[in-house]
Amino acid sequence: MTPRHIGKVLFEKWRIIVACVIVSLALAVLSLVMTRPIYKSTATVVAGVRAPETIGPQSVAEQLSADYLLTQEDILKSDRVARQVVTDTGLASVPDAARQFGWKPKDGALPDFLARQLRASLVIDSSAVNSRVMEISFLSGDPRFAATMANAFAAAFIDVNIQLQADPARRTVASYTKQLNEMSRTLHEMQAQLIAKERALNLVAGKGEADPDSARLNALSTQLAAAQTQSVAASSHVGGAALPDTMASGVVMGLQTEIARLEAQRSQLSTTAGPNNPDYRQLVAQITAMRGQLAGQEALIRRSAAASAAQARTVQAGLSGAVAAQRDRVTKVRAAQSEVSILQQDIANQQASYDQIAQRRAQLQVLDTTAQTNISILSPATPSEKPVLPRRFVTMVFGLVFGVAAGVVLVIGIAFFDRRIRFSGEMESWLGIPDLGSIRISPPQPLRLPRMVAGLLPNMRVEA
């Protein structure tokens, strides 16, 4: 079919097109009358940026990322938020809720079914560029119910965000608490081992205090050095005629002086008297007695010096043994102190780890107990007085366009099955017969009679 043929068919069948338009508009009006009006209520929330000092799992850089709002939108559309709305509003406990939403036992649990139905009526709009504002809209036939649900979704969105931050913190707190209990038990065992080790090794010196064993070793070493000096000095006084002790003895010096005096008298008397002189012989006897006393006194001094030297050697030997024993004890104590120091360092490291985990747990407990989030309600939803559906003008325009289109299609379909020739060009294109000419058929003309004859006939119209 050529465009000319189509145009001619449409022109001839315009009544069919008009009929289709009328039917389509009637159906549009009927749908407007029968369709329940749908109201839309919108609550606005804003996703701000949390302060850097706030404790939380998200940093400022994460909140400023391009996909942050998309993630928040996915959270808002999730089943968890919808179930939270059902729980907060108590919709599942409403007697007529199951009937109004068309719930059947085969649909599963009523709260889950209601959550799915509410999600189907939820509309999220965050398409504004570089904007952190999100519009939460709800569609319902009841404007007050739509506003209630929009506000409920906004509140549930905030609660779920808080839970998403608090739940990991709560689980981490539980894990930290378990670790702290184990570390506390281990710490107590290590401290008990340290106390038992100190008692077994008889360690009484605390950290930063002087070690008594080392102090005793130093004292014994000092005494040994003094005893060695005294022993050397005492050994030097043993033997020899000109001993310092002998020379320093007052008795020896007195006897030597008396012997020298008597020797002088004997020498003087020997010049005047002979050896048989009684005075001479008396002086010789006195000198001999004096020399015997001097020899006895010198022997006594030598024996005393020998005894002193022997005693000094004995003391030196005793001190040497004591120093050696104390040195061995100090060596063992220092080795034990090294073991104790290692154990003390392990305890200090364990205590430091315990303090760090305890501090982190305290921070997470603060986050768990503090209801804080960067999502806040900018404006709550209010009941709308004007429905958003159905759209009357759009429905009527659609009915008009659909009627015209349906009429055109119907006319073209009829013409396609009706193969009558309507103008001469179709003969050449369809039958291959050349067009030799056309005869115009005029409409029938009225009968014209002479006036004389016309006047004789009753009720006859005469044409001029």
Side-chain angles (χ1 to χ4, degrees):
M1 298 179 67
T2 62
R4 181 180 178 185
H5 188 191
I6 294 175
K8 187 175 184 60
V9 170
L10 294 177
F11 180 76
E12 292 179 353
K13 305 294 184 180
W14 63 270
R15 293 180 179 84
I16 297 177
I17 298 176
V18 171
C20 291
V21 170
I22 293 174
V23 172
S24 178
L25 291 178
L27 293 176
V29 172
L30 182 62
S31 66
L32 290 176
V33 173
M34 297 182 62
T35 302
R36 183 184 178 184
I38 302 300
Y39 296 88
K40 179 180 179 180
S41 295
T42 303
T44 306
V45 297
V46 58
V49 179
R50 189 165 47 211
E53 67 272 11
T54 303
I55 302 173
Q58 293 177 340
S59 62
V60 175
E62 292 174 346
Q63 298 178 26
L64 293 176
S65 61
D67 58 348
Y68 177 73
L69 286 181
L70 297 178
T71 303
Q72 295 298 323
E73 183 175 346
D74 292 337
I75 293 174
L76 183 54
K77 295 178 180 178
S78 64
D79 290 335
R80 182 170 180 176
V81 175
R83 288 194 297 268
Q84 184 71 30
V85 171
V86 174
T87 302
D88 294 343
T89 57
L91 191 60
S93 59
V94 177
D96 296 336
R99 181 181 58 81
Q100 292 178 357
F101 285 90
W103 174 79
K104 297 179 181 179
K106 65 178 182 180
D107 295 329
L110 179 59
D112 296 337
F113 175 78
L114 293 177
R116 293 193 297 268
Q117 294 298 319
L118 294 180
R119 285 181 55 200
S121 300
L122 182 66
V123 179
I124 309 299
D125 185 11
S126 58
S127 58
V129 181
N130 298 327
S131 176
R132 305 181 69 85
V133 177
M134 302 174 61
E135 294 183 352
I136 304 175
S137 302
F138 192 85
L139 302 177
S140 175
D142 187 357
R144 290 179 297 180
F145 183 77
T148 302
M149 289 297 103
N151 292 327
F153 266 98
F157 178 47
I158 295 175
D159 293 340
V160 169
N161 266 276
I162 295 175
Q163 294 173 10
L164 291 177
Q165 297 179 18
D167 289 346
R170 190 177 298 111
R171 290 192 295 269
T172 306
V173 166
S175 176
Y176 281 172
T177 301
K178 183 178 179 180
Q179 294 181 19
L180 288 176
N181 292 334
E182 295 178 356
M183 293 178 67
S184 177
R185 183 170 57 255
T186 303
L187 190 60
H188 290 164
E189 292 176 356
M190 295 174 66
Q191 290 174 347
Q193 292 177 2
L194 176 61
I195 295 174
K197 194 76 171 178
E198 290 177 346
R199 288 179 179 176
L201 299 175
N202 197 18
L203 298 178
V204 296
K207 187 176 181 181
E209 299 179 0
D211 186 4
D213 292 321
S214 298
R216 188 169 183 270
L217 177 61
N218 294 332
L220 288 176
S221 299
T222 302
Q223 293 177 8
L224 177 60
Q228 288 174 346
T229 303
Q230 186 178 0
S231 177
V232 172
S235 298
S236 66
H237 293 171
V238 178
L243 295 173
D245 293 340
T246 302
M247 299 299 295
S249 176
V251 177
V252 172
M253 292 181 64
L255 289 175
Q256 289 177 349
T257 301
E258 187 64 24
I259 289 172
R261 186 181 66 78
L262 292 176
E263 285 288 344
Q265 289 181 1
R266 185 183 67 80
S267 178
Q268 186 179 2
L269 185 58
S270 65
T271 59
T272 57
N276 294 324
N277 189 301
D279 294 334
Y280 182 81
R281 295 180 64 179
Q282 184 179 3
L283 286 174
V284 171
Q286 291 180 354
I287 290 173
T288 302
M290 288 291 182
R291 289 186 182 279
Q293 293 179 2
L294 178 61
Q297 191 67 33
E298 288 178 349
L300 179 62
I301 291 175
R302 285 194 295 271
R303 287 195 299 271
S304 177
S308 297
Q311 183 179 4
R313 286 193 296 271
T314 301
V315 172
Q316 179 183 355
L319 288 175
S320 297
V323 168
Q326 187 65 22
R327 185 177 290 110
D328 293 339
R329 175 173 173 77
V330 169
T331 302
K332 294 179 181 179
V333 169
R334 287 180 178 175
Q337 286 179 342
S338 298
E339 297 178 3
V340 171
S341 298
I342 293 175
L343 189 56
Q344 289 176 344
Q345 184 64 35
D346 293 339
I347 292 175
N349 295 335
Q350 187 79 0
Q351 185 67 44
S353 300
Y354 181 89
D355 294 340
Q356 291 178 358
I357 295 179
Q359 181 180 4
R360 180 58 181 166
R361 184 185 66 172
Q363 294 176 348
L364 292 176
Q365 285 177 340
V366 172
L367 178 62
D368 184 19
T369 56
T370 303
Q372 56 177 346
T373 180
N374 61 327
I375 307 296
S376 58
I377 297 178
L378 185 61
S379 60
T382 57
S384 177
E385 298 180 356
K386 183 178 180 181
V388 294
L389 293 175
R391 300 178 180 178
R392 299 180 180 178
F393 178 75
V394 174
T395 302
M396 296 302 294
V397 171
F398 177 78
L400 177 62
V401 173
F402 179 79
V404 172
V408 171
V409 172
L410 181 59
V411 169
I412 293 176
I414 295 174
F416 181 80
F417 292 102
D418 185 4
R419 310 301 293 178
R420 290 182 300 174
I421 298 175
R422 293 176 172 81
F423 51 91
S424 60
E426 294 178 350
M427 296 176 62
E428 296 181 2
S429 60
W430 291 0
L431 303 178
I433 300 175
D435 185 11
L436 300 178
S438 60
I439 300 173
R440 183 181 300 275
I441 299 176
S442 300
Q445 297 293 330
L447 179 62
R448 296 186 178 183
L449 298 175
R451 290 182 177 273
M452 295 176 57
V453 177
L456 298 176
L457 295 176
N459 298 329
M460 179 66 69
R461 180 179 177 184
V462 180
E463 295 292 336

